Amino acid sequence: MEASAKTRPAKPSGMAKDITPPFTEELEEFRKSVRGWVLANLTPHADEWEASKHFPDEVFKTVASQGYLGLKFEEEYGGSNEGGLENPAQGYLADAVQLEELPACGSGGVAAGIWAHAGIALTPIWKFGSHEQKLKYLKPGVSGDKIAALAITEPGAGSDVAGIQTKAEKVDGGYLLNGSKVFITNGVRAHTIVTAAKTTPEGGHHGISFFIVERGEGVTSSPLEKLGWHASDTAEIGYNDVFVPEENLLGEENHGFYMIMANFQWERLMMALGAVGAMKDVFAATLDYAHERNAFGRPISNFQVIRHKFADMATQIEAARTMTYNALRLFVEGKEPLSEVTMAKLFTQRLLVNICDECLQIHGGWGYMKEYKIERALRDARLGPIGGGTDEIMKEILGKTLGV
Ligand SMILES: Cc1cc2nc3c(=O)[nH]c(=O)nc-3n(C[C@H](O)[C@H](O)[C@H](O)COP(=O)(O)OP(=O)(O)OC[C@H]3O[C@@H](n4cnc5c(N)ncnc54)[C@H](O)[C@@H]3O)c2cc1C
């Protein structure tokens, strides 16, 4: 007795019925088509990809064929946002719709691979790259021909970005890169690795630069086993005397820390939107289950305790949704909403873990079984309070904005 993904409502009744700003009727229409496409083309493969701990590279091309990898980018780079960098709002909003609906594919790992490529690796090339760099690396990324990864975290430095040890030493015509990165999404298969490295011997955040590194001589990578996101490729990467030509420096030398921090705002919003999408889906599937599962001669949804669990979850999801949409609205209006984005990331990631746990509880023993996919949702959700800046780091940022 399993509720089919296709029969699940996009919005469970009792939850948001109106179009909520910053979304519009047009974007809500787009949402329906994205959701329909994801359910028809990705969801049916999720179990197989999770079991094999891999999804094919071809998936990037399939997603690209719908235009979903280039929603923010200009047409000259293969994207569909006419405003481009001059007026990014429409592109970001279309991307936000896609980000919220992608979790319907039923595999956090697939969503993570696609987001890491288009959201966190291609976005800095678009924002800080030259026209030539965009033609060479962004365009084939948007078409899904070249897969990208973002490599900041190292075995000895994650939260403390300024503490990275990978070095880029100036040599004739470019830089020589040495060091290692860890936990890099798409790290085994990526053709293009946007990499942070130290370009000055002094410590601190002033000496970090960003490079577009092509996989080639001296670049090694190996996969890592993990709790969730099974279909995604998470890797350790080594750089051993890798020559990076001068023209592959992204933005200005020693300005990498600023770019990393700017990139984090969109990454954290992406994570908040993804969590909102995932919690709505898990909630809807669990509501179906509670209506169908009987105990003591009646559906378990008739027990007041279960009803109250749903009421609590619906309230929390609505809070997460409106908080995230508000942060998104301020972001697309160019207001640099550091607190709002940080709060949305902090609130939604932990909430998704809690919602998945509560939904698993409502499924009883079946929730612990693979068949119902709640166990996968819980495992996948656990990355949220760690990736893209941990909960503790979010609280440190908020503490600073509060002056404490
Ligand atoms: C599946 C997965 C995918 C990832 N994908 C990528 C990717 O594509 N690219 C990439 O660059 N990185 C990626 N990451 C790395 C991720 O961003 C880091 O794991 C995260 O930033 C935390 O860094 P860390 O693991 O080194 O933990 P640490 O920084 O060592 O932190 C350990 C603990 O100490 C706490 N802590 C640290 N500093 C403070 C402080 N100042 N105050 C209070 N508490 C503190 C942390 O909150 C945490 O609880 C990924 C990670 C995972 C698990």
Side-chain angles (χ1 to χ4, degrees):
M1 186 211 61
E2 187 177 352
S4 147
K6 283 182 185 157
T7 62
R8 286 174 208 157
K11 284 180 181 145
S13 63
M15 301 179 73
K17 294 176 190 72
D18 281 340
I19 295 167
T20 314
F23 296 108
T24 57
E25 212 170 319
E26 193 187 353
L27 284 162
E28 290 307 322
E29 282 305 309
F30 178 59
R31 183 188 301 282
K32 279 183 209 153
S33 69
V34 173
R35 189 177 182 83
W37 187 86
V38 168
L39 289 173
N41 294 281
L42 300 180
T43 317
H45 305 287
D47 289 354
E48 177 198 333
W49 294 339
E50 280 287 309
S52 61
K53 298 195 172 174
H54 175 77
F55 69 92
D57 288 0
E58 285 303 308
V59 173
F60 289 92
K61 285 189 196 164
T62 314
V63 176
S65 71
Q66 301 304 302
Y68 297 159
L69 300 183
L71 295 164
K72 301 196 292 299
F73 311 132
E74 295 90 334
E75 280 176 9
E76 63 183 319
Y77 307 121
S80 54
N81 186 25
E82 285 164 22
L85 268 177
E86 299 304 312
N87 178 17
Q90 270 314 105
Y92 275 120
L93 289 177
D95 221 19
V97 166
Q98 178 258 126
L99 291 160
E100 202 180 323
E101 299 309 319
L102 201 52
C105 75
S107 160
V110 172
I114 294 167
W115 293 341
H117 167 72
I120 64 169
L122 294 184
T123 301
I125 298 178
W126 172 59
K127 279 189 85 167
F128 308 115
S130 65
H131 174 62
E132 290 71 29
Q133 287 173 336
K134 291 184 203 182
L135 284 179
K136 191 166 177 193
Y137 299 105
L138 177 58
K139 202 171 177 186
V142 171
S143 63
D145 289 303
K146 278 195 177 166
I147 300 165
L150 176 75
I152 297 170
T153 308
E154 300 188 354
S159 305
D160 180 15
V161 173
I164 62 167
Q165 297 295 318
T166 295
K167 286 188 178 60
E169 196 190 328
K170 198 110 180 66
V171 292
D172 201 18
Y175 300 81
L176 216 50
L177 198 62
N178 278 289
S180 56
K181 299 287 177 182
V182 78
F183 310 145
I184 307 308
T185 306
N186 296 335
V188 172
R189 62 168 130 211
H191 306 95
T192 309
I193 310 166
V194 179
T195 303
K198 278 267 162 75
T199 27
T200 61
E202 300 95 60
H205 55 269
H206 294 299
I208 294 175
S209 302
F210 241 165
F211 296 93
I212 306 174
V213 180
E214 285 188 38
R215 185 175 296 280
E217 208 180 324
V219 181
T220 53
S221 51
S222 48
L224 296 164
E225 289 286 320
K226 52 200 184 291
L227 173 74
W229 284 17
H230 282 175
S232 103
D233 146 23
T234 307
E236 186 153 17
I237 296 179
Y239 297 117
N240 190 6
D241 282 344
V242 177
F243 177 74
V244 183
E246 223 158 45
E247 62 266 25
N248 281 30
L249 173 71
L250 191 55
E252 279 181 57
E253 195 178 82
N254 296 330
H255 278 60
F257 191 80
Y258 156 74
M259 292 184 262
I260 292 167
M261 292 304 134
N263 205 36
F264 267 143
Q265 290 310 294
W266 180 240
E267 178 174 357
R268 289 170 186 162
L269 258 178
M270 285 174 48
M271 291 180 71
L273 286 157
V276 167
M279 58 182 85
K280 285 192 298 191
D281 284 340
V282 165
F283 179 94
T286 307
L287 203 56
D288 282 350
Y289 181 85
H291 284 313
E292 291 165 26
R293 175 74 180 179
N294 287 312
F296 298 94
R298 52 184 163 146
I300 59 169
S301 58
N302 283 5
F303 295 119
Q304 191 178 41
V305 165
I306 302 283
R307 213 164 36 236
H308 285 194
K309 283 182 194 284
F310 281 114
D312 281 341
M313 287 193 288
T315 307
Q316 290 160 348
I317 293 171
E318 182 59 8
R321 198 182 68 91
T322 50
M323 178 186 249
T324 300
Y325 285 9
N326 187 49
L328 175 68
R329 180 183 62 79
L330 294 168
F331 180 87
V332 299
E333 286 172 2
K335 300 208 169 124
E336 297 183 14
L338 176 66
S339 305
E340 288 83 353
V341 169
T342 308
M343 285 177 186
K345 200 273 180 187
L346 176 65
F347 186 69
T348 54
Q349 304 308 299
R350 180 55 67 177
L351 180 61
L352 178 60
V353 177
N354 294 345
I355 297 261
C356 289
D357 190 40
E358 192 73 303
C359 286
L360 190 149
Q361 188 70 17
I362 292 171
H363 278 75
W366 287 113
Y368 204 72
M369 301 297 125
K370 286 197 166 176
E371 190 183 338
Y372 281 86
K373 309 196 176 51
I374 296 292
E375 61 84 33
R376 181 191 301 164
L378 178 58
R379 286 187 287 101
D380 287 350
R382 191 57 188 86
L383 187 272
I386 299 169
T390 64
D391 279 4
E392 291 76 15
I393 294 300
M394 294 307 99
K395 289 180 193 176
E396 284 300 294
I397 294 170
L398 288 169
K400 277 189 197 136
T401 66
L402 295 167
V404 288

